[in-house]
Amino acid sequence: MSMMYQAYQNHMDLTAPWRTGAGAALKYLNLVPQGMSDKVFGRLAAALELISRTSLTYARPAYGIDKVLVGNQELEVTEEVTFSTPFGSLLRFKKENSPEQPKLLLVAPMSGHFATLLRGTVKTLLQDHDVYITDWHNPRDIPLGAGRFGLEDYTDHLITFLEQMGPRSHMVAICQPSVSALAAAAVMSEDNHPARPATLTLMAGPIDTRIQPTKVNDFAKSKPIKWFEENLINYVPLQCKGAFRQVYPGFVQLTAFVSMNLERHIKQHIDLADHLAKGEKAKAELIKTFYDEYFAVMDLPAEFYIETVRDVFQEHLLPQGLLMHRGRPVNPASIKRMGLMTVEGEKDDICSIGQTLAAQDLCTGVRAYRRVHHMQAGVGHYGVFSGKRWNNEIYPLLRDFVHVNS
């Protein structure tokens, strides 16, 4: 199993000329005057489009946020790497001529996709905040000499990033990294660190997965950790900069995601072909844009993946007071003089109701008037941090929470 990634990469390399040829033919076809039958032209274009898209992307897509409306003024946005390690960058979305706003670190998950999956979240937050994001690098591009990256390393990165941002910053963690964000806040609070966050917001995060376990939680506990090591961990292929690094391949994670809603994804591609054949470019573009992002995959460092499955989903170390960081206990009760907000989705089938709320019970040192919990009706996992209800109902609460505690 450890060489499956190499076999997959070899197959992708061998079939690349077919995709390249289809893409080139499609570009040429778009330049040809519509002299032939529209029906024939459309079907041929649809076939070439689907062939050219039978591959995954391993490079981070662009965030594509050039401007944002702040008050009544549209400001230009530029990306600025303020600090970087081999495994991730602290990326700031700098707004030209912006009034002073609260600094906010958006903590992106390492779950098989790039941080660009949160571009909509970023764009909304930019209206009222000076936004930074954890822009994680793809392990298949990180040389083996850069060392390991485990759960403790993730937490260390959050502490370092907050140090770079300075005092009174705010931290918002989306899903999986809620555990590391809470650990970082606890360690920094215990040390009375000057850069500890002013507020901590945990959104749809697996703080205690013993509460109303989902199918995802059940799967994590259905097999011993050795099974995950032997069946899901692979070596990065020889063709890559990170050759021989052990990872949980992004294409394996994507396969799992797709299999959960296989019929829907098949229908989407049938619809894509149909829209292209009929010349319905706007409808086709919506589907293409979604899958451009969805099929951009990132591997996970083996250490991080295995430790997350074991410590978070199997042994539940944090809620039992057993999680350690660099040889010291992680004590959420040490968090004081910090605002705490937790957000959950009513229909979340990945992180169910109660799992994130558990952080409120662990952080006994946070004063009652600095606590906020919100359960958003009618949304699933992704609706907690994207879409209309995030923009119109959840975000205003988060914005006010941050500004009151600034």
Side-chain angles (χ1 to χ4, degrees):
M1 292 297 294
S2 64
M3 297 305 293
M4 180 176 64
Y5 197 173
Q6 183 68 61
Y8 166 82
Q9 187 64 51
N10 291 344
H11 172 73
M12 287 293 101
D13 291 347
L14 285 171
T15 55
W18 292 94
R19 291 187 295 276
T20 303
L26 184 61
K27 288 181 180 178
Y28 176 76
L29 195 63
N30 289 332
L31 297 175
V32 175
Q34 301 273 343
M36 66 175 79
S37 164
D38 287 345
K39 191 173 183 180
V40 173
F41 183 92
R43 286 181 176 176
L44 182 56
L48 291 171
E49 180 73 45
L50 292 180
I51 292 171
S52 68
R53 298 177 72 83
T54 56
S55 179
L56 303 179
T57 303
Y58 290 97
R60 174 174 72 71
Y63 283 95
I65 303 174
D66 302 318
K67 294 180 180 179
V68 66
L69 193 65
V70 178
N72 297 321
Q73 189 176 11
E74 191 174 62
L75 303 182
E76 290 189 6
V77 179
T78 56
E79 295 174 20
E80 177 182 80
V81 175
T82 61
F83 184 79
S84 186
T85 76
F87 292 94
S89 298
L90 177 61
L91 183 67
R92 181 189 182 194
F93 296 89
K94 185 178 180 181
K95 293 174 291 194
E96 297 300 323
N97 302 315
S98 173
E100 185 175 351
Q101 295 176 319
K103 292 181 180 180
L104 185 147
L105 175 63
L106 183 61
V107 185
M110 271 190 175
S111 57
H113 286 101
F114 292 90
T116 49
L117 198 66
L118 300 180
R119 74 164 56 76
T121 315
V122 171
K123 197 164 186 178
T124 301
L125 289 168
L126 275 170
Q127 299 171 83
D128 307 286
H129 307 87
D130 184 2
V131 180
Y132 296 69
I133 194 169
T134 56
D135 197 38
W136 302 114
H137 303 164
N138 197 337
R140 78 183 241 139
D141 299 323
I142 304 172
L144 198 58
R148 75 189 303 278
F149 187 92
L151 196 57
E152 289 183 320
D153 299 288
Y154 193 112
T155 303
D156 284 339
H157 272 65
L158 299 188
I159 294 172
T160 301
F161 287 169
L162 287 167
E163 288 173 343
Q164 295 295 319
M165 292 171 62
R168 305 303 298 168
S169 298
H170 303 262
M171 182 160 57
V172 176
I174 305 292
C175 188
Q176 172 211 71
S178 292
V179 171
S180 283
L182 185 55
V187 169
M188 296 177 82
S189 294
E190 198 164 59
D191 292 344
N192 200 25
H193 198 299
R196 65 186 182 277
T199 67
L200 173 63
T201 300
L202 308 176
M203 307 186 71
I207 299 301
D208 190 348
T209 59
R210 296 173 299 178
I211 301 169
Q212 299 191 66
T214 64
K215 289 182 179 179
V216 175
N217 304 150
D218 289 339
F219 173 72
K221 297 195 75 170
S222 66
K223 304 185 184 297
I225 198 66
K226 193 167 184 62
W227 182 91
F228 289 91
E229 294 172 342
E230 293 178 346
N231 290 275
L232 298 181
I233 301 303
N234 273 232
Y235 290 101
V236 171
L238 294 169
Q239 298 95 315
C240 307
K241 293 179 182 178
F244 300 113
R245 177 179 291 281
Q246 287 189 300
V247 297
Y248 173 49
F251 79 89
V252 176
Q253 178 78 321
L254 181 65
T255 301
F257 283 149
V258 170
S259 66
M260 291 174 67
N261 294 283
L262 184 58
E263 290 183 5
R264 177 179 177 273
H265 292 295
I266 292 174
K267 184 181 183 300
Q268 283 283 77
H269 282 82
I270 292 173
D271 290 345
L272 172 59
D274 189 49
H275 293 322
L276 290 168
K278 293 178 180 177
E280 298 170 343
K281 293 183 179 180
K283 292 181 179 178
E285 201 59 38
L286 285 174
I287 298 175
K288 286 163 63 176
T289 300
F290 172 81
Y291 281 102
D292 283 344
E293 184 72 48
Y294 199 67
F295 288 161
V297 297
M298 188 181 88
D299 299 335
L300 279 69
E303 307 88 2
F304 176 79
Y305 176 73
I306 292 298
E307 290 168 14
T308 298
V309 171
R310 183 192 66 205
D311 298 352
V312 177
F313 294 98
Q314 289 190 349
E315 299 183 4
H316 315 288
L317 297 185
L318 178 61
Q320 295 187 83
L322 301 175
L323 185 66
M324 304 290 288
H325 181 74
R326 303 301 179 196
R328 58 190 286 193
V330 172
N331 180 21
S334 65
I335 297 176
K336 300 174 182 177
R337 299 193 301 279
M338 185 184 300
L340 176 65
M341 181 175 185
T342 49
V343 184
E344 298 179 327
E346 179 191 14
K347 298 181 179 180
D348 194 335
D349 59 354
I350 294 177
C351 188
S352 61
I353 291 177
Q355 293 188 3
T356 311
L357 175 61
Q360 299 282 357
D361 292 331
L362 296 175
C363 299
T364 55
V366 178
R367 298 287 182 89
Y369 67 88
R370 287 191 169 183
R371 297 170 180 266
V372 174
H373 175 70
H374 177 68
M375 191 283 290
Q376 179 60 49
V379 301
H381 188 70
Y382 294 98
V384 171
F385 52 88
S386 63
K388 290 182 179 179
R389 287 182 174 168
W390 148 249
N391 286 325
N392 300 329
E393 299 180 46
I394 300 173
Y395 172 66
L397 296 175
L398 190 154
R399 177 197 59 211
D400 292 347
F401 168 73
V402 167
H403 283 247
V404 165
N405 285 280
S406 291

